[in-house]
């Protein structure tokens, strides 16, 4: 706590604090590898999605591809913006206080981290809602679904994520330089405003993941029944991609979001506690894998690839549950029980 009080007294609200960096080489190599791999993967995925968008004739699939393109673009832009600042620091060894005395660059990077971090979570939850409504309310949705509506929804989600990112600049929390002094993120400290924003970020992220898990689980059961009736394998493709996005987001993001919530609940500070700021750096690096792995969901889980792995998909239009036989028996029993209760 003494270090935290000293920080407030010496910096007067600025975004800098002094810490030693003994891991420069490792951070340099990891940042370079992650950036190149992530940017290349997202660019390739965007080309794949653009080609699929031009070929598709289904309105529901066109709208779904717009959401996927939104994910790819935000992942690519997020990696490009944040990695350009981080790699510039490692290669040029600039001093933050001299280059950015008013914390404008630090605030911009912190905003970018929050904005581009929340975008895939919010878009994943939005896609889960859209797919759930499309499967369970097909008649009411058929007249509303359109490319323009999907694009407006994506823009609304981005605007909401941007609004949350601006909150620390408006006074709700602070963006500060983080260990090893190569990146900026919001402060997780016992200060009330920092705690409020930390909870907002953590709860929005966790809520998005919970919504995705719940709605995608229901949609899988309903999609199994619908696919058997309509014999449309693009429904399988969309659900498999949604499940892939959901699993990756949950694995990559839950450690960071839970860490932030626990730090707030225990009044811990990532500013004055070396163990805490090192853990924060570790969880941020895990989150980076979300932007690297996401594009491979769109690249690998396409109908053309799925047919090669599961040839009967193209001939019999197998349902999504037939691709996961271990889940089939229990879910079919539940579905049969529900249908017998409601003849």
């Amino acid at each position: 706590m003494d270090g935290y009080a000293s920080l407030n007294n010496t910096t007067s609200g600025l975004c800098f604090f002094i810490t030693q960096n003994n891991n420069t080489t490792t951070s340099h190599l990891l940042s370079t590898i992650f950036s190149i791999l992530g940017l290349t993967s997202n660019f390739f995925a965007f080309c794949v999605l653009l080609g699929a968008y031009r070929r598709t004739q289904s309105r529901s699939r066109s709208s779904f591809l717009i959401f996927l393109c939104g994910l790819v673009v935000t992942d690519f832009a997020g990696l490009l913006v944040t990695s350009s600042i981080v790699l510039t620091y490692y290669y040029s060894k600039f001093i933050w206080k001299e280059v950015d005395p008013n914390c404008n660059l630090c605030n911009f990077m912190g905003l970018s981290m929050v904005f581009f971090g929340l975008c895939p979570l919010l878009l994943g939850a939005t896609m889960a809602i859209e797919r759930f409504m499309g499967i369970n309310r097909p008649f009411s949705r058929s007249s509303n679904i359109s490319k323009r509506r999907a694009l407006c929804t994506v823009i609304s989600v981005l605007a909401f994520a941007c609004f949350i990112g601006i909150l620390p600049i408006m006074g709700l929390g602070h963006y500060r330089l983080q260990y090893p002094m190569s990146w900026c993120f919001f402060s997780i400290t016992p200060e009330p405003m920092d705690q409020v924003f930390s909870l907002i970020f953590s709860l929005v992220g966790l809520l998005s993941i919970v919504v995705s898990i719940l709605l995608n689980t229901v949609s899988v059961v309903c999609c199994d029944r619908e696919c058997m009736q309509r014999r449309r394998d693009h429904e399988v493709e969309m659900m498999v991609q949604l499940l892939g996005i959901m699993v990756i987001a949950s694995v990559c993001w839950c450690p960071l979001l839970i860490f932030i919530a626990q730090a707030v609940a225990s009044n811990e500070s990532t500013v004055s506690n070396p163990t805490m700021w090192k853990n924060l750096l570790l969880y941020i690096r895990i989150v980076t894998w979300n932007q690297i792995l996401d594009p491979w969901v769109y690249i690998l889980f396409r109908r053309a690839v799925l047919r090669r792995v599961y040839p009967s998909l193209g001939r019999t239009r197998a349902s999504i549950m037939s691709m996961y036989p271990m889940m089939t028996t229990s879910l079919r029993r539940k579905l049969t029980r529900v249908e017998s209760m409601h003849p």
Side-chain angles (χ1 to χ4, degrees):
M1 185 64 69
D2 293 338
Y4 173 70
S6 175
L7 173 69
N8 281 339
N9 293 332
T10 56
T11 60
S12 301
L14 294 179
C15 56
F16 307 111
F17 68 94
I18 303 299
T19 184
Q20 292 183 350
N21 178 9
N22 298 322
N23 200 29
T24 304
T25 303
T26 303
S27 299
H28 175 209
L29 292 176
L30 286 175
S31 298
T32 303
I33 294 172
F34 285 177
S35 300
I36 294 175
L37 181 60
L39 292 172
T40 303
S41 301
N42 279 282
F43 179 77
F44 183 36
F46 181 76
C47 295
V48 171
L49 291 175
L50 191 61
Y53 180 80
R54 290 174 176 174
R55 292 191 302 268
T56 187
Q57 297 178 350
S58 169
R59 294 179 64 187
S60 62
R61 176 157 172 75
S62 296
S63 300
F64 185 76
L65 288 173
I66 290 176
F67 284 106
L68 290 182
C69 286
L71 265 174
V72 170
V73 170
T74 52
D75 283 345
F76 181 87
L79 283 172
L80 182 63
V81 171
T82 56
S83 63
S84 61
I85 298 176
V86 172
L87 293 180
T88 299
Y89 168 80
Y90 282 126
Y91 281 109
S92 65
K93 304 296 181 183
F94 67 79
I95 300 175
W96 279 88
K97 286 186 177 181
E98 296 180 359
V99 173
D100 186 31
N102 297 320
C103 293
N104 293 325
L105 179 61
C106 189
N107 286 334
F108 171 74
M109 184 175 185
L111 188 155
S112 299
M113 293 285 290
V114 171
F115 171 73
F116 291 114
L118 287 178
C119 280
L121 297 178
L122 293 172
L123 286 173
T126 303
M127 285 192 294
I129 295 172
E130 290 286 323
R131 200 85 288 274
F132 174 82
M133 295 297 295
I135 293 175
N136 293 276
R137 299 289 186 272
F139 297 107
S140 61
R141 288 275 301 155
S142 61
S143 59
N144 294 328
I145 191 169
S146 67
K147 298 177 183 179
R148 184 174 181 178
R149 182 181 181 277
L151 183 60
C152 290
T153 303
V154 171
I155 294 175
S156 299
V157 170
L158 300 185
F160 178 69
C162 184
F163 170 74
I164 294 179
I166 292 174
L167 289 178
I169 299 176
M170 298 173 63
L172 186 64
H174 305 88
Y175 287 126
R176 285 200 175 103
L177 195 64
Q178 305 288 336
Y179 174 86
M181 300 191 72
S182 59
W183 61 292
C184 291
F185 199 52
F186 61 85
S187 296
I188 307 172
T189 70
E191 186 177 339
M193 291 296 99
D194 288 341
Q195 288 190 325
V196 170
F197 182 77
S198 298
L199 279 177
I200 290 175
F201 181 86
S202 178
L203 292 179
V204 169
L206 288 173
L207 180 61
S208 299
I209 292 175
V210 170
V211 169
S212 298
I213 293 175
L214 290 178
L215 296 187
N216 285 333
T217 301
V218 176
S219 296
V220 164
V221 180
C222 296
C223 183
D224 181 45
R225 181 174 53 186
E226 294 296 319
C227 287
M228 286 189 295
Q229 292 174 354
R230 293 182 291 177
R231 307 294 184 184
R232 299 201 305 191
D233 57 359
H234 74 264
E235 299 283 351
V236 176
E237 179 190 38
M238 287 190 287
M239 282 310 309
V240 170
Q241 290 176 341
L242 262 183
L243 291 174
I245 294 170
M246 177 193 71
V247 171
I248 291 173
S250 300
V251 172
C252 293
W253 273 97
C254 280
L256 175 64
L257 297 174
I258 294 173
F259 168 79
I260 294 173
Q262 289 177 338
V264 173
S266 59
N267 283 329
E268 293 285 348
S269 172
T270 58
V271 174
S272 58
N273 189 330
T275 302
M276 293 289 288
W277 74 50
K278 290 179 181 179
N279 288 338
L280 178 62
L281 178 63
L282 172 63
Y283 294 137
I284 286 292
R285 284 175 174 167
I286 295 175
V287 164
T288 305
W289 279 99
N290 184 79
Q291 297 170 311
I292 296 173
L293 295 176
D294 260 351
W296 291 101
V297 173
Y298 329 134
I299 295 170
L300 297 178
F301 295 162
R302 293 174 293 145
R303 275 177 287 177
V305 179
L306 291 175
R307 288 193 188 110
R308 293 178 183 177
V309 177
Y310 195 83
S312 61
L313 177 66
R315 297 193 301 268
T316 64
R317 302 298 194 267
S319 67
I320 188 172
M321 295 310 303
S322 65
M323 300 176 63
Y324 303 95
M326 294 181 64
M327 299 170 59
T328 302
T329 304
S330 61
L331 286 177
R332 287 190 189 280
R333 287 176 181 173
K334 294 180 181 179
L335 186 59
T336 304
R337 190 180 304 120
V338 172
E339 289 178 345
S340 62
M341 296 173 60
H342 301 280

